[in-house]
Amino acid sequence: MYLGIDHGTNAMRFAALDKHGNFFYFEVPRTDMKGMEGSAILELMEKEFNIRTEQIEMVALTYSMGDGIVNIMDIQDVQNRGVRSIEGVGKKTGAGTLVFDTIKKVKIPAVVIPGIHSHSHTDSRMNLFSHSTSPEKLGIAYDALSRGINNFIVSDISSNTVTLAVANGEVVGALDACIFAPGTVHGPLDLEAIRQVDAGKCGANEAFMNSGVLKNTSYKNTADLLDGLKDNEDQAKFAIDTLALFASMEIEAMNVLLKDYSTCDRLFLAGSMAEVDSLVKKIHHYLDMKPWILGKWSAATGCARMARDIAKGKKQILGIEVRI
């Protein structure tokens, strides 16, 4: 069996792919997993997937920003878990560290997926930014690629928004949440946020984690927003409209990049907000392109597909070299 592990913003998601092409899933909130022992994680995987650890042929996992490596590498060869530093933007709970270290210690066959950053072999113009996307978004892109379309844009919309462009089956560039489109919770720092940071009223990471479309609403999190949407609340509808507007603008920006390589033959949406019909309809309206929806399991699914293909000898994934 082949496993894919998505180090998501709010949960660790696990996907298993068996030899018959069937997928199985489970997730654990990061706040729940941080207190677990490594042995408990292994027991959970065995229980949920009805396998023994020794039956796992390959794991493809993601960790944090993935900005310390540019290739897909054997977990035993990766230094510092494949990151330059855990400092920066995002929520830290220790759940991803626990899963990574457990798999490495037990020596389950595993590869670590890199993020896309200023040292990656994508369009060099995008290297103006130190970081473009975290590794789990490559899992989403690989899941999209499995649909048989080689030229596409995929936008992951949830607590943050990240968009990738793929041409001829290879990632050519991406825009991270701290650069352009906000998600529900996270977003780029505007002038007022920069002033708040400079005045010492908050740190840059805190500002990033409070710059999403919810910042001007009474909602504290995405779940509250979705509840408000069910109740047809005006501020919930406005937040969704704002999210759709900026996501559409970011998608169109990546379409400009794709023009130097190919055409955009398909738009994919992933993440928890991609399952909100009103948001999808708005994006369709703005871009005149009907999105295909991948859903929240896409990253783990794509990583499981990577694990299978790498175990079978594939030496390149989305244009990224496999070095094992």
Side-chain angles (χ1 to χ4, degrees):
M1 190 168 278
Y2 309 98
L3 268 58
I5 302 177
D6 167 20
H7 185 192
T9 302
N10 297 309
M12 300 292 298
R13 296 188 179 95
F14 298 76
L17 172 60
D18 68 15
K19 63 181 180 180
H20 303 294
N22 301 309
F23 284 95
F24 307 90
Y25 304 98
F26 76 92
E27 68 178 351
V28 181
R30 282 170 60 175
T31 51
D32 293 349
M33 181 165 282
K34 67 178 181 179
M36 295 174 64
E37 298 290 336
S39 57
I41 292 172
L42 295 175
E43 290 172 2
L44 185 61
M45 289 193 298
E46 289 183 331
K47 176 185 175 183
E48 293 290 339
F49 294 140
N50 192 29
I51 57 170
R52 298 187 305 276
T53 300
E54 56 268 25
Q55 291 178 295
I56 300 173
E57 295 187 54
M58 178 68 72
V59 178
L61 75 158
T62 66
Y63 180 80
S64 189
M65 299 297 166
D67 58 354
I69 53 177
V70 296
N71 302 303
I72 297 171
M73 298 180 63
D74 189 303
I75 194 171
Q76 302 299 331
D77 297 331
V78 171
Q79 302 298 314
N80 198 36
R81 303 187 189 91
V83 296
R84 298 182 198 176
S85 170
I86 62 169
E87 299 305 318
V89 295
K91 180 168 61 175
K92 306 176 187 70
T93 64
T97 300
L98 181 62
V99 171
F100 187 104
D101 291 350
T102 297
I103 290 174
K104 185 172 183 177
K105 182 178 179 180
V106 179
K107 295 188 176 180
I108 298 171
V111 292
V112 182
I113 311 304
I116 300 297
H117 48 85
S118 57
H119 297 291
S120 298
H121 306 304
T122 48
D123 191 299
S124 58
R125 294 169 294 182
M126 300 299 292
N127 292 342
L128 174 67
F129 301 116
S130 62
H131 177 73
S132 295
T133 184
S134 300
E136 71 274 6
K137 313 307 181 192
L138 296 181
I140 296 172
Y142 202 61
D143 186 35
L145 187 66
S146 72
R147 271 63 176 175
I149 299 168
N150 291 326
N151 304 298
F152 59 85
I153 292 171
V154 56
S155 189
D156 180 59
I157 309 172
S158 54
S159 56
N160 54 49
T161 297
V162 179
T163 305
L164 295 82
V166 174
N168 304 312
E170 300 184 1
V171 175
V172 294
L175 286 172
D176 193 59
C178 56
I179 298 171
F180 194 162
T184 56
V185 180
H186 310 150
L189 274 60
D190 64 7
L191 177 60
E192 183 58 29
I194 293 170
R195 285 172 173 164
Q196 294 284 321
V197 172
D198 284 350
K201 295 181 179 179
C202 66
N205 190 37
E206 183 182 354
F208 165 75
M209 294 185 71
N210 290 280
S211 293
V213 300
L214 297 186
K215 70 177 181 179
N216 293 326
T217 73
S218 62
Y219 306 124
K220 295 181 179 180
N221 52 49
T222 303
D224 288 347
L225 169 63
L226 295 175
D227 286 340
L229 200 59
K230 289 178 183 176
D231 293 336
N232 204 35
E233 295 174 1
D234 287 342
Q235 62 173 340
K237 291 187 289 184
F238 183 74
I240 291 297
D241 287 352
T242 305
L243 194 63
L245 174 66
F246 281 103
S248 298
M249 292 167 67
E250 182 167 282
I251 292 164
E252 194 61 46
M254 296 311 291
N255 196 27
V256 171
L257 174 64
L258 264 187
K259 289 180 185 298
D260 281 346
Y261 295 89
S262 64
T263 59
C264 179
D265 297 330
R266 182 65 61 186
L267 168 62
F268 293 95
L269 299 182
S272 58
M273 301 309 294
E275 298 173 1
V276 176
D277 289 342
S278 57
L279 180 135
V280 175
K281 289 177 181 177
K282 279 283 183 179
I283 292 176
H284 185 189
H285 165 72
Y286 286 132
L287 301 176
D288 196 27
M289 181 181 292
K290 187 175 182 179
W292 282 19
I293 309 304
L294 298 175
K296 73 173 185 177
W297 295 105
S298 181
T301 299
C303 287
R305 293 184 191 277
M306 288 185 194
R308 176 198 59 194
D309 293 347
I310 291 168
K312 292 181 178 295
K314 194 162 187 178
K315 298 301 182 183
Q316 182 253 83
I317 299 284
L318 293 167
I320 300 167
E321 185 179 350
V322 177
R323 290 190 177 181
I324 60 172

